[in-house]
Amino acid sequence: MQNFTDKVAVVTGAAEGIGKAIARAAAAEGMKLVLADIDAAALDALAAEFAAADVPVLALRTDVSSPEQVDALADAAFARFGAVHLLVNNAGVAVAKSVWETTPKDWEWVLGVNLYGVTNGLRAFVPRMLERGEAGHIVNTASVAGLLSVPALAAYNASKFAVVTVSEGLHHDLALRQAPIGVSVLCPSWVKTRIAESGRHRLGEEGAVQAGTSVQSQKIGQAVFQAVQAGITPDSVAESVFAAVRAGRFYIVTHPESRAGVRVRMEDILENRNPTLMSL
């Protein structure tokens, strides 16, 4: 995609953080917006901000782990604007636990939002995007944790690795069909968002990233919180996203230092070495 003016962008997890920054960047490009988030109050406030600036906007509270709610989001988007050109599957949550501390409910929650939120979005939107035959782009938010295995983040790592491979497969599927739809997978490292407090949506209350009971998991949880607070801005991530969409670039790695870790991991595999522990 090169021209965004009057095109339609759908952004999940849009009420704050990276999603909010992408929505604002899309509006600055002259796009019409379809915004989804589980936080109705924050979502409505953002929609009001755009409406006051005369940006065409549709906001719908959506639990992306629900296929029915994502279907309803797609129905509403196409009914309102008739097309979708940029689909950003961005909603995400996290827990800090080793694999043996991660409960069935933890797995259900993290995979439901981080992985099924992406696959629900693809299933609901891509067929209609293909049917229209217009140029478009899909951005799926993974993480550097989809490229590197970080300790005490078992469910989060698994969900983000899955998003990376789903996105790679999607790229191949669309290329084989010569579809005019590009794909990017967003793999940021630390970004100044509230991902470390995402448990508030699960529990209905404020809270830091849900950590396991072991001392090591507690330390990792605290390190995650501190690293997020010191991260880059969501606005800089949004800039990277639109630069990648314009260039048709698949991998969006926002932190150059992450590439060194990816290289070490690949060398571990190729050289048949045990995994190298990557520092936070």
Side-chain angles (χ1 to χ4, degrees), residues 105-138:
K105 288 295 185 182
D106 292 332
W107 284 105
E108 180 180 349
W109 181 55
V110 175
L111 291 177
V113 176
N114 293 0
L115 174 57
Y116 300 149
V118 171
T119 59
N120 286 335
L122 298 177
R123 178 191 47 75
F125 283 93
V126 172
R128 286 185 255 198
M129 293 171 71
L130 287 170
E131 184 178 354
R132 290 191 61 84
E134 297 181 49
H137 205 94
I138 298 165

Short mmCIF file of all heavy atoms in Angstrom, two decimals, residues 105-138:
data_model
loop_
_atom_site.label_atom_id
_atom_site.label_comp_id
_atom_site.label_asym_id
_atom_site.label_seq_id
_atom_site.Cartn_x
_atom_site.Cartn_y
_atom_site.Cartn_z
N LYS A 105 -6.21 -21.89 32.85
CA LYS A 105 -6.88 -20.61 32.61
C LYS A 105 -5.92 -19.58 32.04
O LYS A 105 -6.30 -18.75 31.20
CB LYS A 105 -7.51 -20.09 33.91
CG LYS A 105 -8.73 -20.87 34.35
CD LYS A 105 -9.87 -20.70 33.35
CE LYS A 105 -11.13 -21.38 33.84
NZ LYS A 105 -12.24 -21.24 32.83
N ASP A 106 -4.66 -19.62 32.49
CA ASP A 106 -3.64 -18.72 31.92
C ASP A 106 -3.47 -18.98 30.42
O ASP A 106 -3.45 -18.06 29.61
CB ASP A 106 -2.28 -18.93 32.60
CG ASP A 106 -2.24 -18.48 34.05
OD1 ASP A 106 -3.01 -17.56 34.40
OD2 ASP A 106 -1.46 -19.05 34.82
N TRP A 107 -3.31 -20.26 30.08
CA TRP A 107 -3.14 -20.62 28.67
C TRP A 107 -4.35 -20.18 27.85
O TRP A 107 -4.21 -19.62 26.75
CB TRP A 107 -2.95 -22.14 28.53
CG TRP A 107 -1.58 -22.60 28.91
CD1 TRP A 107 -1.22 -23.26 30.05
CD2 TRP A 107 -0.36 -22.44 28.16
NE1 TRP A 107 0.13 -23.52 30.06
CE2 TRP A 107 0.68 -23.03 28.91
CE3 TRP A 107 -0.07 -21.86 26.93
CZ2 TRP A 107 2.00 -23.07 28.47
CZ3 TRP A 107 1.26 -21.89 26.49
CH2 TRP A 107 2.26 -22.48 27.25
N GLU A 108 -5.53 -20.43 28.38
CA GLU A 108 -6.75 -20.07 27.65
C GLU A 108 -6.82 -18.57 27.40
O GLU A 108 -7.17 -18.12 26.30
CB GLU A 108 -7.96 -20.54 28.46
CG GLU A 108 -9.30 -20.23 27.82
CD GLU A 108 -10.47 -20.70 28.66
OE1 GLU A 108 -10.25 -21.46 29.64
OE2 GLU A 108 -11.61 -20.31 28.35
N TRP A 109 -6.48 -17.79 28.43
CA TRP A 109 -6.55 -16.33 28.30
C TRP A 109 -5.51 -15.79 27.33
O TRP A 109 -5.84 -15.03 26.40
CB TRP A 109 -6.38 -15.70 29.68
CG TRP A 109 -6.46 -14.21 29.71
CD1 TRP A 109 -7.49 -13.44 29.26
CD2 TRP A 109 -5.48 -13.31 30.22
NE1 TRP A 109 -7.21 -12.10 29.47
CE2 TRP A 109 -5.99 -12.00 30.06
CE3 TRP A 109 -4.24 -13.50 30.83
CZ2 TRP A 109 -5.28 -10.87 30.47
CZ3 TRP A 109 -3.53 -12.38 31.24
CH2 TRP A 109 -4.05 -11.08 31.06
N VAL A 110 -4.24 -16.18 27.53
CA VAL A 110 -3.16 -15.63 26.71
C VAL A 110 -3.29 -16.08 25.26
O VAL A 110 -3.19 -15.25 24.33
CB VAL A 110 -1.79 -16.02 27.29
CG1 VAL A 110 -0.68 -15.56 26.36
CG2 VAL A 110 -1.60 -15.40 28.67
N LEU A 111 -3.52 -17.36 25.02
CA LEU A 111 -3.68 -17.82 23.64
C LEU A 111 -4.96 -17.27 23.03
O LEU A 111 -5.01 -16.94 21.83
CB LEU A 111 -3.68 -19.34 23.59
CG LEU A 111 -2.35 -20.02 23.90
CD1 LEU A 111 -2.51 -21.54 23.88
CD2 LEU A 111 -1.26 -19.61 22.93
N GLY A 112 -6.00 -17.13 23.84
CA GLY A 112 -7.26 -16.60 23.32
C GLY A 112 -7.12 -15.21 22.75
O GLY A 112 -7.64 -14.90 21.68
N VAL A 113 -6.40 -14.35 23.47
CA VAL A 113 -6.22 -12.97 23.00
C VAL A 113 -5.11 -12.87 21.96
O VAL A 113 -5.30 -12.34 20.87
CB VAL A 113 -5.93 -12.04 24.20
CG1 VAL A 113 -5.64 -10.61 23.69
CG2 VAL A 113 -7.09 -12.03 25.17
N ASN A 114 -3.93 -13.40 22.30
CA ASN A 114 -2.74 -13.16 21.48
C ASN A 114 -2.74 -13.94 20.17
O ASN A 114 -2.30 -13.43 19.13
CB ASN A 114 -1.48 -13.52 22.26
CG ASN A 114 -1.24 -12.59 23.44
OD1 ASN A 114 -2.01 -11.67 23.69
ND2 ASN A 114 -0.18 -12.84 24.17
N LEU A 115 -3.19 -15.20 20.21
CA LEU A 115 -3.19 -16.03 19.00
C LEU A 115 -4.56 -16.06 18.33
O LEU A 115 -4.69 -15.71 17.16
CB LEU A 115 -2.75 -17.45 19.33
CG LEU A 115 -2.84 -18.46 18.18
CD1 LEU A 115 -2.02 -18.01 16.97
CD2 LEU A 115 -2.40 -19.84 18.64
N TYR A 116 -5.59 -16.45 19.07
CA TYR A 116 -6.91 -16.55 18.45
C TYR A 116 -7.46 -15.17 18.09
O TYR A 116 -8.25 -15.05 17.16
CB TYR A 116 -7.88 -17.29 19.36
CG TYR A 116 -7.43 -18.70 19.69
CD1 TYR A 116 -7.75 -19.29 20.91
CD2 TYR A 116 -6.64 -19.43 18.80
CE1 TYR A 116 -7.33 -20.57 21.21
CE2 TYR A 116 -6.21 -20.71 19.11
CZ TYR A 116 -6.55 -21.27 20.31
OH TYR A 116 -6.13 -22.53 20.63
N GLY A 117 -6.99 -14.14 18.80
CA GLY A 117 -7.37 -12.79 18.38
C GLY A 117 -6.89 -12.49 16.98
O GLY A 117 -7.59 -11.82 16.19
N VAL A 118 -5.71 -13.01 16.63
CA VAL A 118 -5.18 -12.85 15.27
C VAL A 118 -5.93 -13.75 14.29
O VAL A 118 -6.39 -13.30 13.24
CB VAL A 118 -3.67 -13.15 15.24
CG1 VAL A 118 -3.15 -13.20 13.81
CG2 VAL A 118 -2.90 -12.10 16.05
N THR A 119 -6.06 -15.03 14.63
CA THR A 119 -6.69 -15.95 13.68
C THR A 119 -8.17 -15.63 13.49
O THR A 119 -8.70 -15.79 12.38
CB THR A 119 -6.51 -17.41 14.12
OG1 THR A 119 -7.09 -17.61 15.42
CG2 THR A 119 -5.04 -17.78 14.16
N ASN A 120 -8.84 -15.18 14.54
CA ASN A 120 -10.23 -14.75 14.38
C ASN A 120 -10.32 -13.56 13.43
O ASN A 120 -11.23 -13.48 12.58
CB ASN A 120 -10.84 -14.37 15.73
CG ASN A 120 -11.15 -15.57 16.60
OD1 ASN A 120 -11.36 -16.68 16.09
ND2 ASN A 120 -11.20 -15.38 17.91
N GLY A 121 -9.38 -12.63 13.56
CA GLY A 121 -9.37 -11.47 12.67
C GLY A 121 -9.12 -11.85 11.23
O GLY A 121 -9.77 -11.34 10.31
N LEU A 122 -8.19 -12.77 11.01
CA LEU A 122 -7.89 -13.20 9.64
C LEU A 122 -9.09 -13.91 9.03
O LEU A 122 -9.45 -13.67 7.87
CB LEU A 122 -6.66 -14.10 9.64
CG LEU A 122 -5.36 -13.46 10.14
CD1 LEU A 122 -4.23 -14.48 10.16
CD2 LEU A 122 -4.98 -12.25 9.30
N ARG A 123 -9.70 -14.80 9.79
CA ARG A 123 -10.85 -15.55 9.27
C ARG A 123 -12.02 -14.63 8.94
O ARG A 123 -12.71 -14.81 7.94
CB ARG A 123 -11.28 -16.60 10.30
CG ARG A 123 -12.51 -17.42 9.90
CD ARG A 123 -13.01 -18.22 11.06
NE ARG A 123 -13.12 -17.43 12.28
CZ ARG A 123 -14.06 -16.54 12.50
NH1 ARG A 123 -15.01 -16.32 11.60
NH2 ARG A 123 -14.08 -15.85 13.64
N ALA A 124 -12.24 -13.61 9.78
CA ALA A 124 -13.39 -12.73 9.60
C ALA A 124 -13.19 -11.70 8.50
O ALA A 124 -14.16 -11.34 7.81
CB ALA A 124 -13.70 -12.02 10.92
N PHE A 125 -11.96 -11.24 8.30
CA PHE A 125 -11.74 -10.13 7.38
C PHE A 125 -11.14 -10.52 6.04
O PHE A 125 -11.49 -9.95 5.01
CB PHE A 125 -10.82 -9.08 8.05
CG PHE A 125 -11.51 -8.22 9.07
CD1 PHE A 125 -11.51 -8.58 10.41
CD2 PHE A 125 -12.15 -7.06 8.68
CE1 PHE A 125 -12.15 -7.79 11.35
CE2 PHE A 125 -12.80 -6.25 9.63
CZ PHE A 125 -12.79 -6.63 10.97
N VAL A 126 -10.21 -11.46 6.03
CA VAL A 126 -9.46 -11.73 4.79
C VAL A 126 -10.34 -12.17 3.63
O VAL A 126 -10.16 -11.67 2.51
CB VAL A 126 -8.32 -12.74 5.05
CG1 VAL A 126 -7.68 -13.16 3.74
CG2 VAL A 126 -7.27 -12.12 5.97
N PRO A 127 -11.31 -13.07 3.81
CA PRO A 127 -12.13 -13.46 2.65
C PRO A 127 -12.82 -12.27 2.00
O PRO A 127 -12.91 -12.18 0.76
CB PRO A 127 -13.14 -14.44 3.25
CG PRO A 127 -12.44 -15.02 4.43
CD PRO A 127 -11.65 -13.88 5.01
N ARG A 128 -13.30 -11.33 2.81
CA ARG A 128 -13.98 -10.17 2.24
C ARG A 128 -13.00 -9.20 1.61
O ARG A 128 -13.32 -8.56 0.61
CB ARG A 128 -14.82 -9.49 3.34
CG ARG A 128 -16.07 -10.28 3.67
CD ARG A 128 -16.96 -9.57 4.67
NE ARG A 128 -16.87 -10.17 5.99
CZ ARG A 128 -17.77 -9.97 6.95
NH1 ARG A 128 -18.82 -9.19 6.74
NH2 ARG A 128 -17.62 -10.55 8.12
N MET A 129 -11.80 -9.11 2.16
CA MET A 129 -10.77 -8.29 1.53
C MET A 129 -10.37 -8.88 0.18
O MET A 129 -10.21 -8.15 -0.81
CB MET A 129 -9.55 -8.17 2.45
CG MET A 129 -9.81 -7.39 3.73
SD MET A 129 -8.44 -7.47 4.94
CE MET A 129 -7.20 -6.46 4.11
N LEU A 130 -10.23 -10.19 0.12
CA LEU A 130 -9.90 -10.85 -1.15
C LEU A 130 -11.01 -10.68 -2.17
O LEU A 130 -10.75 -10.46 -3.36
CB LEU A 130 -9.66 -12.35 -0.90
CG LEU A 130 -8.36 -12.73 -0.19
CD1 LEU A 130 -8.38 -14.20 0.19
CD2 LEU A 130 -7.15 -12.43 -1.07
N GLU A 131 -12.23 -10.78 -1.71
CA GLU A 131 -13.37 -10.66 -2.63
C GLU A 131 -13.40 -9.30 -3.31
O GLU A 131 -13.75 -9.20 -4.49
CB GLU A 131 -14.67 -10.90 -1.86
CG GLU A 131 -15.93 -10.90 -2.72
CD GLU A 131 -17.18 -11.19 -1.93
OE1 GLU A 131 -17.08 -11.51 -0.72
OE2 GLU A 131 -18.28 -11.10 -2.50
N ARG A 132 -13.04 -8.26 -2.58
CA ARG A 132 -13.05 -6.92 -3.17
C ARG A 132 -11.90 -6.72 -4.15
O ARG A 132 -11.99 -5.89 -5.05
CB ARG A 132 -13.01 -5.86 -2.07
CG ARG A 132 -14.31 -5.78 -1.26
CD ARG A 132 -14.31 -4.56 -0.38
NE ARG A 132 -14.21 -3.34 -1.17
CZ ARG A 132 -15.24 -2.72 -1.74
NH1 ARG A 132 -16.45 -3.22 -1.64
NH2 ARG A 132 -15.05 -1.61 -2.42
N GLY A 133 -10.80 -7.44 -3.95
CA GLY A 133 -9.69 -7.37 -4.89
C GLY A 133 -8.89 -6.09 -4.85
O GLY A 133 -8.13 -5.80 -5.78
N GLU A 134 -9.01 -5.33 -3.78
CA GLU A 134 -8.28 -4.06 -3.68
C GLU A 134 -6.95 -4.27 -2.97
O GLU A 134 -6.76 -5.22 -2.21
CB GLU A 134 -9.11 -3.04 -2.91
CG GLU A 134 -10.43 -2.67 -3.58
CD GLU A 134 -11.20 -1.63 -2.78
OE1 GLU A 134 -10.58 -0.61 -2.40
OE2 GLU A 134 -12.41 -1.83 -2.54
N ALA A 135 -6.03 -3.34 -3.22
CA ALA A 135 -4.74 -3.38 -2.52
C ALA A 135 -4.96 -3.20 -1.03
O ALA A 135 -5.76 -2.37 -0.60
CB ALA A 135 -3.82 -2.30 -3.05
N GLY A 136 -4.26 -4.00 -0.24
CA GLY A 136 -4.42 -3.91 1.20
C GLY A 136 -3.20 -4.45 1.91
O GLY A 136 -2.22 -4.88 1.29
N HIS A 137 -3.27 -4.44 3.23
CA HIS A 137 -2.15 -4.92 4.03
C HIS A 137 -2.68 -5.40 5.37
O HIS A 137 -3.65 -4.87 5.90
CB HIS A 137 -1.12 -3.82 4.24
CG HIS A 137 0.26 -4.33 4.51
ND1 HIS A 137 1.20 -4.49 3.52
CD2 HIS A 137 0.86 -4.74 5.66
CE1 HIS A 137 2.32 -4.96 4.04
NE2 HIS A 137 2.14 -5.13 5.35
N ILE A 138 -2.01 -6.42 5.90
CA ILE A 138 -2.34 -6.98 7.21
C ILE A 138 -1.11 -6.91 8.09
O ILE A 138 -0.02 -7.30 7.67
CB ILE A 138 -2.81 -8.44 7.08
CG1 ILE A 138 -4.09 -8.53 6.22
CG2 ILE A 138 -3.04 -9.06 8.45
CD1 ILE A 138 -4.40 -9.93 5.75
#
